[in-house]
Amino acid sequence: MEPTDLLTIGEAAARAGLAPSALRFYEEQGLIQAERTSGNQRRFRRAELRRIAVIRAAQSFGLSLDEIRGALNSLPDRRTPTRRDWEVLASSWRALIDERIAALERLRDEADSCIGCGCLSLQSCGLYNAGDRAAAYGHGARYLYGDDRGKTG
Ligand code: FES
């Protein structure tokens, strides 16, 4: 490998459009790797720039660092994601986004029940009632609607 194939942390950060501290953080999190010089300075292979691009894109999908780490580690030999790898990862994350949108829509619907209510009742509030026992009987504030099936108190 030519010495010029290795980037200092400042060079890599500038190419990635990030602060050097972000690269140090990604490395600490096991998302990217850096070699060390004899003086213990980081040197990044150019391929790490593509990995950083994938990490940033995945973060814009709303993925946690754990999820991103898991996806990157699932690639054979922990390789830098190829164009095809990125297509596969992005399409799997699309399904994740759909699930999160559905969950947020459910949350929005529950919030609709709370607007103008203020009860914060463990029995009847869908947002406060994490177990949501009343959800089995339909959407919204079931007990406020007069449905007392399953109500214990
Ligand atoms: S505050 Fe949530 S249903 Fe009353």
Side-chain angles (χ1 to χ4, degrees), residues 119-125 128-130 132-133 143:
C119 71
L120 284 174
S121 163
L122 192 58
Q123 280 76 39
S124 57
C125 179
Y128 181 52
N129 178 5
D132 200 5
R133 287 174 300 201
Y143 302 137

Side-chain angles (χ1 to χ4, degrees), residues 110-111 113-121 124-128 140-141 144:
E110 294 292 349
S113 301
C114 294
I115 293 170
C117 175
C119 71
L120 284 174
S121 163
S124 57
C125 179
L127 289 184
Y128 181 52
L144 287 179

Side-chain angles (χ1 to χ4, degrees), residues 43-108:
R43 292 292 184 268
F44 292 90
R45 292 173 184 256
R46 288 179 190 279
E48 292 303 298
L49 294 175
R50 182 169 178 81
R51 238 176 133 77
I52 293 166
V54 167
I55 293 164
R56 299 290 293 165
Q59 285 185 301
S60 72
F61 272 84
L63 269 73
S64 70
L65 294 181
D66 279 345
E67 290 168 326
I68 297 169
R69 186 183 309 102
L72 290 174
N73 289 344
S74 74
L75 298 175
D77 301 324
R78 205 180 171 277
R79 71 179 174 219
T80 296
T82 62
R83 178 180 288 266
R84 177 70 189 137
D85 290 334
W86 171 242
E87 285 174 16
V88 171
L89 290 175
S91 66
S92 72
W93 293 337
R94 163 77 203 247
L96 244 176
I97 290 172
D98 288 345
E99 284 172 26
R100 287 177 181 173
I101 288 171
L104 282 171
E105 286 176 345
R106 285 194 298 275
L107 182 64
R108 181 197 59 204

